[in-house]
Amino acid sequence: MMRIRDILHLTQQQTDVVAQGWVQTARTAKNVTFIELTDGSTLRPLQVVVGENCTGSADTPGTGAAIRVRGDLVPSPAAGQAFELVAAELEVVGPVGDDYPLQKKRHSFEFLRTIAHLRPRARTFGAVFRVRHALSMAIHRFFDERGFIQVHTPIITGSDCEGAGQMFRVTTLPASMPPMADGEVDFSKDFFGKPASLTVSGQLEGEIFALAFSNIYTFGPTFRAENSHTARHASEFWMVEPEMAFCDLAGDRRVAEEFIRDIVGAVLTRCGDDIDFFDEWVEKGLRRRLEALVSSSFETMTYTEAVAALENAKKSFEFPVKWGLDLQSEHERWITEELVKRPVFLIDYPRDIKAFYMRVNDDGRTVAAMDLLVPHVGEIIGGSQREERLPVLDEQLERFHLKKEDYWWYRDLRRFGGVPHAGFGLGFERALMYVTGMQNIRDVIPFPRTPGSADF
Ligand code: 4AD
Ligand code: MG
């Protein structure tokens, strides 16, 4: 059985072709019905012509019905398509009620979120999730071709990688009246005998494997219980985290830049129709923006330079700008969209606003961190060189009020063949927003989880 994508790729007419899928539109004129049929394999629907001689179903199948059609593929007189399928036999495999919600051609993305069980059949979401797949495959291919080993890091964890404490607890203790000891919940009675959570990042475990396999990556779901109500934050999202031994921040940056250019190029090649669709309906100029990215080089700026530029900017920001404060998304967007006008690495952030594991620079005030900011999305990658010097790491743990005992194995890695190493994390959905032009992270995740919302 051919998928519609393959049928549309045929270059000559062919008899006895079978197609099956869902009716996108059905329009009857005189005694002929024209059906646009889709099976998700491609953006373009197959035009099916149902005339009086067609056997099978007596009624015109409604929008949303699942049908199987047998007929001849012949040159089409209509514009925009080379061939059409003239149906000899039509079978309704799955009829549709007339309250099918996707009757109209266009619906708001907000409305479509409320029908996540049918949303994948809408054209925009067909394109989104085909691109999601293609991007995922491109990521695995990129690392595989370069000899990186994929590591499946745990989803349930006993450590808090980012040290930020915004984690979802995993417990089997009863919500009401849990066992108590000294006025606190007694987690020694919990399933794992200690507190456990959903991971916020696979990085720390990734470092273990980098110090054995040299170059590794993780690509899995991560969870953050931060109460961020923005279009770019989800409580459950996927992160790609490469980690390289014998690598410093400059090497880290080179991998990140090559990586982004490569995977965007792969999507342009593989999903041309979908990208053109986004270009027309979602973000005008998208294709040009992506093509420019593939052939441009990224800028690098220090945090200190960025703050100076922001302070001199002829623009009033909602949040204050001052050396030592974290940059807000409005600042990041201004830097990449107005100032640099292309992707830019911000490096060397103040020590106290970044994670404990980042390598302290010689100035003692900054760390070897890098954030990649891109137009349209803002921060898409966060990474760093890791602190490999045990005394400095211990100083960092103390500074961040983290217990040495909790990081005993992380410290061990610095004593047993530790080497300079570095890595980064790409927010997979942020990358998808970047390549599709979609404005809301909820619209690039099949079943989004955000504060107050975990439907479906
Ligand atoms: O900058 P982050 O927090 O870095 C880390 O987690 C490091 N452990 C990565 C590493 O060095 N291995 O997160 C990395 C990226 C961000 O740049 C952003 O793209 C994405 O993950 N991200 C989110 N995406 C969607 N929703 C959220 N709530 C996100 N938080 C971070
Ligand atoms: Mg970050």
Side-chain angles (χ1 to χ4, degrees), residues 74-338:
V74 303
S76 172
Q81 65 208 15
F83 293 97
E84 60 190 23
L85 187 65
V86 177
E89 201 183 307
L90 186 153
E91 178 193 348
V92 175
V93 182
V96 66
D98 53 17
D99 52 349
Y100 181 62
L102 291 178
Q103 299 279 357
K104 277 196 311 183
K105 261 222 140 120
R106 296 204 80 180
H107 298 270
S108 74
F109 293 156
E110 288 78 9
F111 168 70
L112 289 170
R113 278 177 220 144
T114 68
I115 51 165
H117 59 310
L118 299 170
R119 181 172 80 153
R121 296 198 212 163
R123 254 157 86 85
T124 306
F125 291 89
V128 164
F129 294 118
R130 270 189 302 276
V131 169
R132 188 172 169 118
H133 166 73
L135 191 66
S136 166
M137 297 310 279
I139 287 166
H140 285 296
R141 180 195 40 77
F142 176 88
F143 289 118
D144 183 47
E145 282 175 1
R146 286 160 183 77
F148 284 61
I149 292 281
Q150 186 193 3
V151 186
H152 294 128
T153 49
I155 288 171
I156 299 175
T157 174
S159 73
D160 172 6
C161 170
E162 298 299 300
Q166 295 174 315
M167 305 185 82
F168 290 101
R169 169 118 321 140
V170 174
T171 179
T172 53
L173 293 178
S176 63
M177 306 250 281
M180 304 292 283
D182 302 331
E184 287 186 8
V185 175
D186 183 4
F187 285 105
S188 71
K189 302 235 163 57
D190 202 351
F191 192 88
F192 297 106
K194 59 178 277 200
S197 309
L198 295 178
T199 188
V200 294
S201 158
Q203 178 198 322
L204 299 197
E205 295 90 349
E207 286 185 52
I208 296 178
F209 272 69
L211 294 175
F213 294 91
S214 304
N215 292 336
I216 66 96
Y217 73 104
T218 70
F219 186 178
T222 49
F223 307 85
R224 302 215 175 161
E226 52 192 348
N227 213 358
S228 302
H229 295 260
T230 80
R232 304 171 316 119
H233 286 87
S235 317
E236 174 178 323
F237 62 98
W238 283 60
M239 200 172 1
V240 185
E241 295 182 275
E243 190 74 28
M244 290 82 71
F246 306 103
C247 184
D248 60 10
L249 191 68
D252 202 21
R253 235 164 52 207
R254 277 196 297 276
V255 175
E257 181 168 340
E258 194 190 342
F259 173 59
I260 294 293
R261 278 214 296 267
D262 182 282
I263 61 176
V264 170
V267 168
L268 276 171
T269 308
R270 183 166 170 184
C271 304
D273 283 354
D274 293 319
I275 296 298
D276 289 338
F277 174 84
F278 292 125
D279 192 304
E280 185 173 349
W281 297 101
V282 175
E283 184 195 327
K284 290 260 181 285
L286 173 74
R287 173 176 277 280
R288 226 179 324 109
R289 170 160 76 72
L290 298 181
E291 284 169 352
L293 172 97
V294 172
S295 57
S296 77
S297 64
F298 300 179
E299 187 82 35
T300 298
M301 252 179 129
T302 64
Y303 165 90
T304 304
E305 289 164 346
V307 166
L310 284 162
E311 281 171 340
N312 292 325
K314 288 182 189 55
K315 181 177 165 111
S316 55
F317 295 107
E318 189 186 336
F319 291 93
V321 179
K322 198 171 134 231
W323 201 98
L325 294 182
D326 213 353
L327 299 179
Q328 300 296 321
S329 128
E330 55 170 347
H331 308 133
E332 297 175 338
R333 296 284 293 262
W334 181 82
I335 291 166
T336 176
E337 289 168 11
E338 312 286 329

Side-chain angles (χ1 to χ4, degrees), residues 162 224 332 354 358 370-371 379 381-383 425 430:
E162 298 299 300
R224 302 215 175 161
E332 297 175 338
K354 286 293 189 186
M358 297 192 180
M370 64 172 201
D371 276 8
E379 179 191 339
I381 278 179
R430 299 259 177 102

